[in-house]
Amino acid sequence: MSHPLQVLLVRQQTTDESLRLARLLAYSDAGPTVMPVVGQLFRSVITSRPCYNTPIDNVVVVHRAAPRPDGEPVTLASLADTDMVLVGLYGTARGDGDNRGTFSARPTAGRTEAETNEAVRLALAAIKAEMPSHLDPETSFIMYAGCPTPILDYIIKEMPLLWGDHFYDMYSSDKAPTQFGVHMGSSWVDEQTGETFFVDRIRVSDIDYMLAEKTVDYDFDYLEFITQTYPFTELNCMIRAFPKGVDPPTASHEQGEPASWVSTHQDFSIALLATRDKFRRRKLAAKCVEVVSRLQLEFMRKHGLDVFGPNILSFGFVKDGNVASIRTMEGCGFIKVKEPRFMWIGIKLASIPSVE
């Protein structure tokens, strides 16, 4: 017997609940495309620091569970995997002047397009009802974090966009690159310039350099969050260029000039890959990816093997047409996930239909 779709909203879920949902998604046939939600759930149980700016650790599950004969409400613990249609995360931003809702979701395995569309509609309506009453429905909006194209197509058809970004493709790998043999603490001398390059951690003093090279509108606070907050302090790297004749291990890091870097987003994807103009064409970006993808895979195998199982991946998103980043990722052994593609979009709260 088929049951109607229902929405379960869970605030501050337990560790067991988060891990169960993460395992469900990681082992689903959705493959690597579920990794952003799995990563967020995983992060929420290994650090007490909430998601930057937005408590997106709250869970929304759209399900087809049968009514409980004893009248007890449906809970995450009582839901069977086969009951679940869509699992996502939601929250409301806390920043001044930046009030908005956020939503990131993935269908569970084997769902039809019609069922997924209906699940998204119900989830959005439920989240809209959760938004604070002071938000202006005409100017405040829901932001979709890495919205995959099956969900994106439905939203664009049903709700006019307030803004839309470029398409992004996901690249993933279950093996860290090894062609350069670099790791944290590695150093080498450039034969042409005599500069010594040294693999270091990203420091707060580096963030201004990173802001100058950014291609996405991240602010200082977010960059600080994903470079100076555990576990991301362990999942980033900065390649510094030291003047000829300076030995990095014995020198102050201030003597080294930031050259190339990469970090990890709060969903465990590769973040902020960049190389300053004067240091390009020296394979520095690829070396950064090699270092950080290894750190990511080692960290997840150490702390999340029961969550990810055989599906532990290092992954990242590359903007459509970014030839340099595509070459870097493919050169490091990352494989493009053909479908779906991703986009970050915003819609007005007022455009979300309510559910009777």
Side-chain angles (χ1 to χ4, degrees):
M1 177 180 176
S2 179
H3 298 283
L5 289 178
Q6 301 176 61
V7 179
L8 175 64
L9 297 175
V10 182
R11 303 174 191 85
Q12 298 180 335
Q13 70 275 11
T14 66
T15 294
D16 287 345
E17 290 170 336
S18 292
L19 291 177
R20 180 188 172 217
L21 289 173
R23 281 191 292 267
L24 165 68
L25 291 171
Y27 284 83
S28 75
D29 63 11
T33 61
V34 301
M35 291 299 290
V37 171
V38 174
Q40 288 274 37
L41 288 165
F42 179 54
R43 178 204 51 76
S44 72
V45 303
I46 61 174
T47 176
S48 59
R49 181 80 176 265
C51 180
Y52 168 77
N53 198 42
T54 305
I56 199 171
D57 297 318
N58 301 324
V59 169
V60 54
V61 178
V62 182
H63 61 86
R64 285 192 180 279
R68 299 293 180 259
D70 54 7
E72 290 295 316
V74 172
T75 65
L76 284 180
S78 66
L79 279 175
D81 294 352
T82 53
D83 294 333
M84 301 182 192
V85 177
L86 179 141
V87 174
L89 303 166
Y90 74 96
T92 307
R94 298 188 297 264
D96 293 338
D98 192 29
N99 290 311
R100 63 189 179 207
T102 66
F103 175 48
S104 178
R106 299 291 179 276
T108 57
R111 299 302 174 181
T112 66
E113 179 181 348
E115 189 171 45
T116 297
N117 290 349
E118 177 65 4
V120 172
R121 185 181 74 88
L122 291 172
L124 287 174
I127 294 169
K128 178 181 179 180
E130 288 283 292
M131 294 298 100
S133 59
H134 69 270
L135 296 186
D136 182 347
E138 292 299 320
T139 58
S140 301
F141 55 88
I142 300 286
M143 181 175 67
Y144 297 87
C147 186
T149 42
I151 293 177
L152 175 71
D153 291 343
Y154 167 75
I155 293 172
I156 291 177
K157 179 181 177 181
E158 299 295 327
M159 305 164 208
L161 296 188
L162 187 63
W163 57 268
D165 203 338
H166 296 81
F167 275 107
Y168 285 77
D169 291 305
M170 175 183 274
Y171 287 77
S172 68
S173 176
D174 61 356
K175 298 176 182 177
T178 59
Q179 64 264 45
F180 300 110
V182 292
H183 52 80
M184 192 60 60
S186 289
S187 64
W188 62 94
V189 176
D190 188 287
E191 295 180 357
Q192 293 184 341
T193 67
E195 295 168 299
T196 298
F197 289 101
F198 179 71
V199 181
D200 194 11
R201 300 286 188 193
I202 294 174
R203 303 169 189 263
V204 174
S205 57
D206 298 323
I207 294 179
D208 286 339
Y209 289 92
M210 299 169 69
L211 288 170
E213 299 291 336
K214 68 179 182 178
T215 57
V216 180
D217 192 24
Y218 300 125
D219 59 20
F220 185 97
D221 289 342
Y222 182 69
L223 269 60
E224 185 178 37
F225 176 79
I226 64 167
T227 60
Q228 308 302 308
T229 304
Y230 179 83
F232 312 118
T233 47
E234 300 182 12
L235 306 174
N236 69 68
C237 89
M238 169 66 70
I239 294 180
R240 303 186 192 280
F242 287 79
K244 184 177 181 179
V246 176
D247 181 27
T250 61
S252 168
H253 76 273
E254 284 88 355
Q255 293 179 263
E257 187 176 359
S260 186
W261 54 83
V262 70
S263 187
T264 299
H265 279 307
Q266 55 199 21
D267 60 6
F268 280 82
S269 62
I270 290 173
L272 306 170
L273 178 62
T275 301
R276 296 174 66 199
D277 282 345
K278 67 180 182 177
F279 296 110
R280 290 179 179 170
R281 291 176 291 278
R282 306 194 209 185
K283 303 292 185 182
L284 297 183
K287 292 176 180 178
C288 283
V289 171
E290 179 172 316
V291 171
V292 168
S293 62
R294 182 186 300 113
L295 293 173
Q296 289 176 336
L297 291 169
E298 290 174 352
F299 184 90
M300 287 187 282
R301 288 189 178 107
K302 179 179 179 180
H303 298 284
L305 190 60
D306 61 328
V307 176
F308 297 96
N311 299 319
I312 292 179
L313 298 170
S314 179
F315 69 101
F317 296 99
V318 178
K319 186 183 293 186
D320 187 31
N322 187 339
V323 176
S325 291
I326 292 171
R327 287 175 178 169
T328 296
M329 296 299 281
E330 290 181 343
C332 288
F334 283 72
I335 298 173
K336 178 180 174 180
V337 178
K338 293 184 179 180
E339 291 292 341
R341 306 181 84 196
F342 293 77
M343 182 182 284
W344 279 254
I345 64 175
I347 59 177
K348 295 179 182 179
L349 286 174
S351 70
I352 301 173
S354 299
V355 176
E356 298 296 330

